Amino acid sequence: MIKALSHTDAQTVSFAIWAVALPFVAFAVNLLLLFRSRIAALVSTAAILASLILAVKVFFAVWNAPVIHAQTVWFTVGTAKVPLGILLNNLSALMLLLVPVIALPVHIYSIAYMKDDNGYSRYFRYLSLFCFSMLGLVVVDNLVLLYAFWELVGFSSYLLIGFWFTRQSAVLANKKAFIMNRIGDIGLLTAIVILFTQYGTFDISALFGADGLVPLSTMAAGMWAGPHSAMPEVWQYVAFGGIFLAVAAKSAQFPLHTWLPDAMEGPTSVSALIHAATMVAAGVFLLGRVYPLFNATELTILAVVGCFTAFMAATIALTQNDLKRILAYSTISQLGFMVLAMGVGAYASSLFHLVTHAFFKCLLFLVAGIVIHQMKHIKEDNNLDIDPQNILHMGGLRKKLPLTFIITLIGALALIGLPLTSGYLSKDGILIQAFVWAESKGAVFSIIPYVALLTSWLTAFYVARLVVKVFFGDFRLQKVNPHIHIHIGDGNWLYKAPLLLLAACSLFPLFSKSPVFYEDAWIYKSFLPSNFLARENIYHTIVPVLVNILAVVVIYAAFAIYGRRNSWSFPQRGLLYRLSYNEWYIDRFYNPVVVKAVLLFSRLLYAFDRKVVDGLVDSLAGAGIALSKITDWFDRYIVDGFLHLVTSVVQTIGNFARRFQSGKVQYYLYSMLLVVAVVFIFKLIWT
């Protein structure tokens, strides 16, 4: 299986394979044995813990070391050999570690969070399949396997989003996610086919490695000229379009982002995993894998789309009242920052932000799960008709949930990007490099970093609004119902331990010795090219100062608006408010216009198939039947009739001639005499 590998490298590859395979083993065991008790949770949690241990071993063996690539021939397509193997470099090692690091706290948290659910064992089966899919995606060495695991990630997320399938809203949400991601999957498949047609290989290393076919190709006269062959420029853009659709679907970028807020119908612990290091991270990971493919124009498109998505999602989050929906739009916005970073050439900062975001976003979703769980208890204990996810029913929970409140503050500060948090390091790096990029591109492009800057302040506002609405002021339900009983708390250690771990990982020491310089972060430095020269300019000072001073002002403004009694608040009306509250009317456009147009087109195709295609086939069938009947008649009455006539004539002549064959010699003599007489008379007449 493994060729040309040292013993150490072969062992590292084995560790990586087992790190991927163990969650699938847990899925298979739970599926085959149909555990319906806590054993299912223990099997899945033990598997992801073992994967984490193995991933740590792989990480330290691979990080900043030569690439390890082990493969064998899987099957052949004509003369092309499709490999089956493992590719371990900095990117795959980082993701292989990140997924179980995030998944383990989610598993532990889920043991308590899902304990009363009837689908307890089924939940952990799906969770193990999900982790297996993402782990496989990040280490495979060819585009065919990448596509297979890409599909598995989508399928397993479909199962988890629709976990409570008895709810109509959950069914609609997972169908929406599935269909949106199918659009992206078609794009990715198209790009893979184009790349294979051009370069004759699916091998990721051969295509996108440092000395790969794609980096060595250059654009000339509308053609890709390289060591392999030339590809028309149009196919380059089609391939980019396919990859963009894949990224937009998985990582929820405009215009394929609308499935992610609806995906909140799944358990909150699932939302934490999807929004942190698995489903939505796959799109940004794909950009990192195929990054050498993009030209300057395509990178600019990524920058524009990422910037717009980040801004749009942040404006929507300003007015939402569903706790998980606010965090969902926050995820879309932060993913927009990552795509923006890829577009402006901040490759290292994009991946750095992917990692930091995974920790504090997972943390915030798990916190949301605790808050929602406790609100459900209040609802059930007092027979209230409320939505436990609506922040308008909350308030003052810091007194009831003190640890949860402190943990939330850490996650919120990291999401805003204030100093001493990991979010400060990664997001400021993106903003600074966006300004540097815009300066080199020209005045028109300066709008992108300024919109990104504005988005950062909007983030500070909606995060502060969320924290104030949930944890500050008075408990609003108690103001309306003074006699309700409230018996809530932070929960047991299964809740607290994951939160404490993720909170620690949301602070700067895990990533850098310096709390203010993103250039010192070990992830950032490891993804820079070897010939990188740090460019110090005024943006390195102005941007962090401007961002954080105004962020503090914005946070104070949000507290003043929402945290004080009888304070002024924004009017719940006006065009901008309606635009934000109704999520830019994008779904309202899709449903009556796009969805109905697709359904109408489908009905037209159905009618064309029934009336035209089937009608033509039926007509041909009718003509064939008629022709066969004519042929049958002709065969019966002409062909067979002629044969019957000939037979009858022959039979008649035979019967007539048979009368002269009596067997008496004298009759034969009379016959001969008659013949002689006839001949004699004939001769006399004619002569």
Side-chain angles (χ1 to χ4, degrees), residues 27-39:
F27 163 75
V29 169
N30 287 336
L31 180 65
L32 294 175
L33 300 182
L34 297 176
F35 287 133
R36 299 185 181 278
S37 65
R38 289 187 178 275
I39 298 176

Side-chain angles (χ1 to χ4, degrees), residues 345-473:
Y347 179 89
S349 290
S350 178
L351 296 177
F352 184 22
H353 196 55
L354 172 65
V355 175
T356 60
H357 174 263
F359 288 107
F360 58 72
K361 184 52 60 69
C362 183
L363 173 65
L364 289 172
F365 267 107
L366 296 187
V367 164
I370 291 177
V371 172
I372 294 168
H373 204 57
Q374 300 305 326
M375 290 297 294
K376 284 181 179 178
H377 284 316
I378 296 174
K379 174 184 176 180
E380 293 167 358
D381 292 344
N382 298 278
N383 296 317
L384 300 176
D385 183 19
I386 62 167
D387 178 6
Q389 296 183 190
N390 193 327
I391 62 175
L392 299 181
H393 298 316
M394 303 176 191
L397 293 181
R398 74 183 189 280
K399 301 172 184 177
K400 303 292 183 180
L401 309 171
L403 178 63
T404 302
F405 167 65
I406 295 171
I407 296 296
T408 302
L409 284 183
I410 295 174
L413 294 177
L415 177 55
I416 294 169
L418 291 182
L420 304 182
T421 67
S422 60
Y424 168 84
L425 296 172
S426 57
K427 191 160 73 172
D428 274 15
I430 294 173
L431 293 173
I432 291 169
Q433 290 170 89
F435 275 99
V436 174
W437 171 84
E439 186 179 50
S440 66
K441 295 286 286 186
V444 176
F445 296 95
S446 63
I447 189 173
I448 291 178
Y450 282 110
V451 171
L453 202 61
L454 175 59
T455 303
S456 180
W457 294 326
L458 292 176
T459 301
F461 187 87
Y462 72 71
V463 172
R465 172 180 177 264
L466 183 151
V467 173
V468 171
K469 286 278 190 182
V470 174
F471 292 102
F472 286 87

Side-chain angles (χ1 to χ4, degrees), residues 227-275:
H228 192 269
S229 60
M231 178 169 63
E233 183 179 5
V234 63
W235 291 114
Q236 153 68 15
Y237 285 105
V238 172
F240 164 75
I243 291 172
F244 171 77
L245 284 177
V247 173
K250 274 290 191 291
S251 290
Q253 296 297 285
F254 177 84
L256 300 179
H257 65 282
T258 57
W259 68 269
L260 190 58
D262 292 350
M264 299 300 98
E265 290 296 332
T268 306
S269 48
V270 168
S271 302
L273 195 56
I274 289 178
H275 286 250

